[in-house]
Amino acid sequence: MKPYVIVLGNEKGGTGKSTIAMHIAVYLLNRGFKVGTIDIDARQGTFTHYFENRLKSNIDGKIKLSEHVTIQKAQADSVKESQAMESEALQAAFSKLEGCDFLVIDTPGNDTFLSQVAHSFADTLISPMNDSYIDLDVLVRLDKNDSKIMRPSVYAEMVWKQRQMRAVRKQKPIDWIVIRNRLTTLYTKNRKDINVVLEALSKRIGFRLGNGFCERVIFRELFLSGLTLLDLEDKGIELSLSHVSARQELRELISFMRLPGI
């Protein structure tokens, strides 16, 4: 069924969700797919600001654009009314973008009703995390004396509930991918220890573990123009060795996602 829904989710800010969301969307656009993008993190609006910057850079019409929808948090007299309004807004966005091949949805770095609903519609869920125990805490609670003793944390439990929602709707299970993002080139003991925990946790709660992007200044610079690594040549920007490496990381991520038709 169309569209195929890709959700970027993690109840932790600063992991690179919006950057990854935009690069996936542009990659799919360049492959000739019709892509819709939805920002339900409207309060911070990073994904929407990225899209607006991209729109301003499209003076010559050469930059490919998705059809973008921003959903605001509802302000009603009761929680129940707010949740109903937000559900309707998300359904309206799906209806507007129903002709797309793919939908890419960026979610906030905290727990909201709208984020939970979006997760339940994910065919592929991508959860970026930095190589730190602070980010790891969102997925798993470790025993301070023995890191082998673990239990799923709040976000992992939320994903499990949304998987159950999909089962009730008789939809395919969510393909959950946790990616280690904003990696440094240094291989440290901390990085090794976190990898061991994630490998064990992936088997326990059912996600696939992959890699995202290394930490690079270029990503912060591209945001201001709304461009991605895939737009540089069209804009006459000479590729550096770092750019080429980063584009290879994107191709590897797309391949790891196993998207239909790719």
Side-chain angles (χ1 to χ4, degrees):
M1 293 180 63
K2 295 197 312 184
Y4 188 93
V5 179
I6 303 167
V7 173
L8 279 293
N10 186 346
E11 291 178 13
K12 169 77 171 56
T15 59
K17 292 190 298 291
S18 300
T19 298
I20 294 172
M22 183 60 82
H23 277 77
I24 290 173
V26 173
Y27 181 94
L28 294 170
L29 286 167
N30 287 351
R31 289 292 299 266
F33 294 105
K34 187 175 181 181
V35 180
T37 49
I38 301 176
D39 187 359
I40 64 172
D41 187 13
R43 186 172 184 274
Q44 182 166 334
T46 304
F47 197 25
T48 297
H49 296 154
Y50 206 144
F51 181 84
E52 291 170 347
N53 293 340
R54 185 173 183 81
L55 197 60
K56 293 174 184 176
S57 294
N58 194 31
I59 300 173
D60 53 11
K62 291 183 178 180
I63 297 177
K64 292 182 174 63
L65 299 169
S66 62
E67 190 170 356
H68 189 74
V69 176
T70 300
I71 301 178
Q72 302 288 339
K73 182 176 174 62
Q75 301 291 335
D77 293 334
S78 70
V79 173
K80 187 175 181 179
E81 286 179 302
S82 293
Q83 291 179 348
M85 291 170 63
E86 290 173 356
S87 293
E88 289 175 7
L90 186 58
Q91 288 290 352
F94 284 155
S95 297
K96 180 179 180 180
L97 303 173
E98 65 181 356
C100 295
D101 301 299
F102 291 92
L103 296 185
V104 181
I105 304 177
D106 191 22
T107 64
N110 59 335
D111 182 27
T112 67
F113 171 77
L114 195 52
S115 179
Q116 291 178 21
V117 176
H119 275 69
S120 75
F121 284 97
D123 294 302
T124 293
L125 168 63
I126 301 176
S127 299
M129 60 165 287
N130 301 323
D131 258 0
S132 76
Y133 282 103
I134 294 175
D135 283 34
L136 190 61
D137 190 63
V138 175
L139 291 176
V140 61
R141 293 292 166 85
L142 297 174
D143 187 278
K144 65 179 181 179
N145 298 315
D146 186 353
S147 61
K148 293 181 181 180
I149 301 174
M150 61 179 76
R151 64 179 177 84
S153 194
V154 287
Y155 181 71
E157 290 174 351
M158 188 274 281
V159 173
W160 174 254
K161 290 179 182 177
Q162 303 320 312
R163 282 174 159 173
Q164 291 176 316
M165 290 291 293
R166 285 182 67 87
V168 169
R169 294 198 297 261
K170 297 182 179 180
Q171 294 176 303
K172 292 193 303 182
I174 298 172
D175 180 20
W176 187 14
I177 299 172
V178 173
I179 60 173
R180 300 168 68 191
N181 199 44
R182 303 180 69 176
L183 297 171
T184 64
T185 55
L186 297 176
Y187 191 79
T188 63
K189 183 180 183 301
N190 176 77
R191 184 170 171 180
K192 179 182 177 181
D193 291 344
I194 288 176
N195 188 67
V196 170
V197 173
L198 285 173
E199 288 282 2
L201 188 63
S202 68
K203 297 178 179 65
R204 180 167 177 177
I205 64 176
F207 61 78
R208 296 193 292 126
L209 181 61
N211 289 326
F213 302 147
C214 288
E215 180 67 40
R216 289 186 172 89
V217 176
I218 183 65
F219 290 117
R220 291 189 286 274
E221 295 174 343
L222 288 172
F223 171 78
L224 295 175
S225 60
L227 300 178
T228 70
L229 293 163
L230 305 173
D231 301 306
L232 300 182
E233 289 173 305
D234 289 337
K235 284 295 184 179
I237 301 173
E238 186 177 351
L239 296 182
S240 68
L241 198 56
S242 178
H243 298 158
V244 173
S245 298
R247 295 212 311 191
Q248 180 59 31
E249 290 167 0
L250 174 60
R251 285 191 289 267
E252 290 173 357
L253 173 59
I254 295 291
S255 177
F256 188 75
M257 290 170 64
R258 303 173 189 167
L259 298 175
I262 301 298

